[in-house]
Amino acid sequence: MAKRQLNRRQNWRIEKIQGERAARAAKRESQSLEALEGGDLGPEQLGLVIAHFGVQVEVEALEGELAGQVFRCHLRANLPALVTGDQVVWRAGNQGIGVIVAQLPRKTELCRPDTRGQLKPVASNVDLIVIVFAPLPEPHANLIDRYLVAAEHAGIRPLLLLNKADLIDDKNAVALNALLGVYRQLGYPLLEVSAHHGNGMQLLQAELDGHVSVFVGQSGVGKSSLVNSLLPEVDTRVGPLSELTGKGTHTTTTARLFHFPNGGELIDSPGIREFGLVHVSRDDVEAGFIEFHDLLGRCRFRDCKHDREPGCALLKALEEGRIQPQRMASYRHIISTLPEQDY
Ligand SMILES: Nc1nc2c(ncn2[C@@H]2O[C@H](COP(=O)(O)OP(=O)(O)OP(=O)(O)O)[C@@H](O)[C@H]2O)c(=O)[nH]1
Ligand SMILES: [Mg+2]
Ligand SMILES: [Zn+2]
């Protein structure tokens, strides 16, 4: 009991300190903004958010004599939260600092829930989601399926990418091949590469050229290593797997955008532990399983939950092997984790 009370008090203190710290940061931020607005600001111009750090973002100038230069920018208070990939209108101050005046509409938006379950955009204006996995840390089909649902929901094309192909051995090959087989059978584009050894990297480059892509996946699968391999002049931070758990150590902390010399952009994003899908409905999840497309609406009951109902088109397809058991299990798992109201 005494211990619990102490913890509660400790928690309260931590929250208090964090709150005070956030308030001080907000005050400093509004003071810097006032100082900037009081000084000489350049004309309004287009920019691209290439990284964001809490209250500030890094903007690359897209036009005029500043084009290509990067500025740390403050945000006017009325702006929505910005993310990497956003196009903005901004004004340059002095010494590499600027002010964001407006956000242009997003063409696409990839969202995921934060630790409190609130929906947060991760990257915007991308047209390709590269779902990265590896022999180590051990891949989870359900996580891949969640990304596929999110991609479908956002209207963004997915590409599955197995990195660290150099780590495929007798022990893991059977399980990996089974996993790859599931997605090959569904017709998803799939590449096998090694950021370290270079295998398959040219094919990957060809897929990325001319597109705005985002690398997503578990921490430690090698997203940043892939960036370093694709763009030798970039030296973004890479971190080892934990010796204790074999999992990634959350090395990348903010999504960052890089340019390819031949056109196209790539956003490296922080790895995740789990990917809840709180923002989607049962219909969205069903729409995210492409092998269900021709079957939906063909069940005997309009509100069929595809559980045990007679005349269920999905259960029939499962029996006949047109739906793979692993995917059906994955679908059921996702549905079981949706918030109550979406059932
Ligand atoms: N054997 C092998 N190891 C790799 C390969 N690519 C990356 N790694 C290693 O995997 C570990 C994690 O790499 P990162 O690039 O930091 O992984 P990440 O996905 O960016 O991780 P987060 O930033 O935490 O999300 C590092 O120790 C890399 O050296 C590869 O192709 N083969
Ligand atoms: Mg990283
Ligand atoms: Zn059904």
Side-chain angles (χ1 to χ4, degrees):
M1 187 67 197
K3 196 169 170 202
R4 247 178 72 194
Q5 268 178 2
L6 193 67
N7 281 341
R8 215 177 290 150
R9 255 181 64 190
Q10 281 171 333
N11 279 341
W12 175 80
R13 262 185 64 77
I14 291 168
E15 268 172 33
K16 187 165 174 277
I17 291 168
Q18 279 173 344
E20 285 167 359
R21 210 177 275 159
R24 280 200 300 275
K27 192 163 170 213
R28 269 201 308 276
E29 184 64 16
S30 80
Q31 281 168 348
S32 331
L33 187 60
E34 268 170 37
L36 260 178
E37 301 259 30
D40 265 347
L41 286 176
E44 291 191 350
Q45 54 171 313
L46 270 187
L48 175 66
V49 175
I50 59 165
H52 68 114
F53 305 93
V55 283
Q56 291 173 13
V57 297
E58 251 176 44
V59 169
E60 181 185 305
L62 287 181
E63 53 183 1
E65 55 194 41
L66 299 177
Q69 288 185 40
V70 175
F71 292 77
R72 253 226 189 203
C73 284
H74 298 277
L75 271 66
R76 285 207 179 138
N78 57 350
L79 284 176
L82 296 173
V83 291
T84 304
D86 270 334
Q87 293 212 332
V88 292
V89 177
W90 70 290
R91 299 176 69 183
N94 48 23
Q95 294 176 342
I97 309 264
V99 178
I100 305 214
V101 179
Q103 176 207 25
L104 299 187
R106 291 175 181 155
K107 287 191 214 105
T108 62
E109 187 178 71
L110 177 65
C111 294
R112 76 174 189 222
D114 65 9
T115 44
R116 290 198 199 109
Q118 272 177 337
L119 199 59
K120 288 274 157 60
V122 187
S124 69
N125 298 323
V126 302
D127 61 77
L128 183 68
I129 296 183
V130 183
I131 304 168
V132 187
F133 56 105
L136 254 185
E138 199 185 319
H140 296 294
N142 190 250
L143 182 64
I144 297 176
D145 293 334
R146 281 169 191 264
Y147 273 121
L148 290 172
V149 170
E152 181 74 25
H153 186 63
I156 308 172
R157 196 162 59 87
L159 166 69
L160 298 178
L161 184 67
L162 174 71
N163 183 33
K164 311 195 194 182
D166 55 289
L167 295 185
I168 301 178
D169 59 24
D170 291 347
K171 275 191 241 122
N172 59 28
V174 173
L176 276 173
N177 281 332
L179 183 71
L180 297 179
V182 168
Y183 298 102
R184 275 209 195 93
Q185 194 172 329
L186 292 169
Y188 280 113
L190 207 162
L191 282 180
E192 288 178 47
V193 303
S194 166
H196 280 187
H197 293 228
N199 318 17
M201 292 303 288
Q202 276 176 347
L203 283 175
L204 174 60
Q205 182 70 67
E207 288 292 325
L208 301 176
D209 273 338
H211 292 284
V212 184
S213 312
V214 61
F215 281 173
V216 297
Q218 267 175 282
S219 174
V221 292
K223 299 177 292 299
S224 302
S225 305
L226 290 162
V227 170
N228 287 341
S229 166
L230 291 162
L231 294 161
E233 68 279 16
V234 169
D235 186 14
T236 195
R237 224 158 70 80
V238 161
L241 300 189
S242 152
E243 282 184 20
L244 203 63
T245 63
K247 293 192 173 165
T249 46
H250 296 275
T251 308
T252 304
T253 50
T254 181
R256 181 172 279 279
L257 181 144
F258 304 96
H259 295 282
F260 288 121
N262 299 329
E265 274 90 42
L266 175 59
I267 299 176
D268 183 18
S269 78
I272 59 163
R273 283 203 180 82
E274 52 188 48
F275 186 170
L277 279 169
V278 290
H279 57 300
V280 300
S281 64
R282 176 185 274 272
D283 285 352
D284 290 329
V285 176
E286 289 177 355
F289 281 72
I290 49 171
E291 66 273 49
F292 294 1
H293 282 192
D294 292 342
L295 303 166
L296 294 172
R298 290 174 182 254
C299 301
R300 185 179 307 160
F301 302 110
R302 226 168 59 88
D303 60 349
C304 184
K305 302 271 192 288
H306 325 302
D307 192 14
R308 251 168 303 199
E309 291 87 341
C312 170
L314 265 61
L315 290 177
K316 183 154 179 278
L318 179 68
E319 226 167 75
E320 293 170 357
R322 285 177 287 128
I323 292 179
Q324 305 176 71
Q326 188 213 297
R327 289 272 289 176
M328 194 66 185
S330 196
Y331 160 75
R332 287 186 168 136
H333 181 63
I334 295 174
I335 291 291
S336 73
T337 56
L338 292 183
E340 288 290 323
Q341 67 267 25
D342 288 329
Y343 273 66

